[in-house]
Amino acid sequence: MDGKVIKGIAGFYYVDVGDTIYECKARGKFRKEQMSPLIGDKVKISITEYEGSEKGDYLQGSIEEIFPRSNKLIRPPVANVDQGLIVFSVSYPQMHLDLLDRFLVMMEMEDIKAHIVLNKTDDVDINDYKSIIDGYTQSGYEVYCVSAKAGTNIDQLRDLLKGKTSFFAGPSGVGKSTLLNAISPQLKLQTGEVSTKIKRGKHTTRHVELLPFEDGYVLDTPGFTSLQFEEIDADLLKNYFLEFERFEDGCKYKGCNHIHEPSCKVKEAVANGEIYKSRYDNYVSYFNQLKNIRKW
């Protein structure tokens, strides 16, 4: 039978085959191939045994094959998604654009459509974060300004999710689970409060699970505070900053990295305000970090 992995806990994978969910173990061959099933994987399973009870035990199965993935992320560990909604708070916890840009790079690497969601807009004046909206809109991303608490623009997100496999990601405490509950109250996801002492959120999402939503799925993911991508070749990093594309053909040197090269149209665009300087500064920082990793 073919199905989709919707949840993984303690070595068990829960596979939705349409009308039934099977609790499965992965065959040993995947371990030898150093490959593990991911949430969202399309798989082939065999039925091993049935354990039924009034407690609602799952049908048992074994994952025999993992079909080729259209994309994958390691953080969050998910495959075959249509889009990702990256959620940050405009109040607490404080927004770190370095973290946002790192996540956008990872999504561009896998060709996953990214949407930026700014939550808790009822807490502050729009002028406090308007430059961020303008900067990322200029960079080519859709920015949604919402408030789960006040219900602001929740319908926009609901429409965005229909018929697609989507994931919510972002730091702890920004309101991912609260947003999903506002979009679909029947999900009844556990939520938490931001610590008043450290201004950071507590992890309320313990595992990754695809949840059915309007002919598609949504995925709530545990929060993160850092992301690394040492595996990227520094000379390819520019390809994952999509705002560079419309300028770089004018650069004097083919293969220009837009760092120290003369007659660089990307650097000119930054100076002219046509590229968001915060994004470019993070690009330079990542480039230098990656070059140093390669050097050592």
Side-chain angles (χ1 to χ4, degrees), residues 40-60:
D41 268 336
K42 298 172 184 176
V43 297
K44 184 180 291 294
I45 68 169
S46 61
I47 299 171
T48 54
E49 61 179 308
Y50 172 69
E51 293 182 6
S53 76
E54 293 181 359
K55 295 181 180 180
D57 289 344
Y58 289 94
L59 289 159
Q60 306 295 301

Side-chain angles (χ1 to χ4, degrees), residues 158-216:
R158 188 179 292 114
D159 290 341
L160 189 64
L161 297 175
K162 288 179 180 176
K164 296 180 179 178
T165 298
S166 314
F167 67 86
F168 279 55
S172 301
V174 297
K176 299 184 298 295
S177 299
T178 305
L179 272 175
L180 277 168
N181 284 337
I183 293 166
S184 182
Q186 63 267 30
L187 294 177
K188 298 179 180 178
L189 299 174
Q190 181 184 357
T191 61
E193 298 296 328
V194 175
S195 166
T196 55
K197 182 177 180 181
I198 62 173
K199 305 302 184 188
R200 288 209 307 263
K202 300 175 182 178
H203 297 284
T204 53
T205 302
R206 302 298 180 184
H207 61 268
V208 180
E209 180 177 0
L210 282 177
L211 305 166
F213 178 81
E214 304 230 6
D215 298 323

Side-chain angles (χ1 to χ4, degrees), residues 237-292:
L237 180 65
K238 59 179 179 267
N239 298 333
Y240 308 125
F241 282 75
L242 50 90
E243 62 267 46
F244 293 175
E245 185 176 355
R246 62 191 180 101
F247 299 103
E248 57 192 2
D249 284 347
C251 292
K252 180 177 180 180
Y253 295 101
K254 186 177 180 181
C256 180
N257 281 317
H258 322 309
I259 304 290
H260 302 299
E261 300 90 341
S263 301
C264 171
K265 292 298 181 182
V266 169
K267 289 192 293 183
E268 287 181 21
V270 175
N272 294 334
E274 297 174 276
I275 287 178
Y276 189 27
K277 189 174 186 302
S278 171
R279 286 264 296 167
Y280 176 75
D281 289 346
N282 281 338
Y283 164 75
V284 173
S285 175
Y286 305 156
F287 180 88
N288 290 330
Q289 289 171 26
L290 293 169
K291 278 293 188 184
N292 287 333

Side-chain angles (χ1 to χ4, degrees), residues 14-221:
Y14 296 83
V15 179
D16 185 354
V17 300
D19 56 356
T20 308
I21 295 175
Y22 289 83
E23 183 183 69
C24 299
K25 297 286 283 186
R27 291 285 300 274
K29 66 177 183 179
F30 298 116
R31 193 161 48 250
K32 293 178 183 177
E33 296 168 0
Q34 296 185 323
M35 183 179 187
S36 298
L38 292 175
I39 310 307
D41 268 336
K42 298 172 184 176
V43 297
K44 184 180 291 294
I45 68 169
S46 61
I47 299 171
T48 54
E49 61 179 308
Y50 172 69
E51 293 182 6
S53 76
E54 293 181 359
K55 295 181 180 180
D57 289 344
Y58 289 94
L59 289 159
Q60 306 295 301
S62 175
I63 296 177
E64 303 289 340
E65 183 179 353
I66 300 173
F67 294 113
R69 297 161 174 159
S70 59
N71 52 51
K72 71 171 182 177
L73 287 172
I74 300 304
R75 190 164 190 182
V78 61
N80 302 316
V81 291
D82 297 311
Q83 59 185 0
L85 283 69
I86 309 175
V87 184
F88 276 77
S89 165
V90 295
S91 56
Y92 291 121
Q94 181 180 355
M95 189 186 313
H96 294 286
L97 298 184
D98 167 72
L99 192 57
L100 172 55
D101 286 333
R102 285 177 181 272
F103 209 99
L104 291 173
V105 166
M106 293 177 66
M107 293 181 67
E108 293 298 334
M109 286 175 63
E110 291 295 330
D111 197 26
I112 299 172
K113 177 72 173 176
H115 302 282
I116 298 169
V117 179
L118 303 182
N119 190 26
K120 306 186 183 181
T121 57
D122 57 310
D123 287 347
V124 296
D125 188 279
I126 189 172
N127 291 317
D128 293 345
Y129 55 93
K130 189 175 185 302
S131 63
I132 295 173
I133 300 171
D134 293 343
Y136 283 92
T137 300
Q138 181 186 55
S139 301
Y141 292 100
E142 295 176 357
V143 182
Y144 295 83
C145 299
V146 306
S147 169
K149 181 180 175 182
T152 308
N153 294 330
I154 295 301
D155 286 344
Q156 291 182 5
L157 297 187
R158 188 179 292 114
D159 290 341
L160 189 64
L161 297 175
K162 288 179 180 176
K164 296 180 179 178
T165 298
S166 314
F167 67 86
F168 279 55
S172 301
V174 297
K176 299 184 298 295
S177 299
T178 305
L179 272 175
L180 277 168
N181 284 337
I183 293 166
S184 182
Q186 63 267 30
L187 294 177
K188 298 179 180 178
L189 299 174
Q190 181 184 357
T191 61
E193 298 296 328
V194 175
S195 166
T196 55
K197 182 177 180 181
I198 62 173
K199 305 302 184 188
R200 288 209 307 263
K202 300 175 182 178
H203 297 284
T204 53
T205 302
R206 302 298 180 184
H207 61 268
V208 180
E209 180 177 0
L210 282 177
L211 305 166
F213 178 81
E214 304 230 6
D215 298 323
Y217 292 92
V218 293
L219 181 76
D220 188 19
T221 65

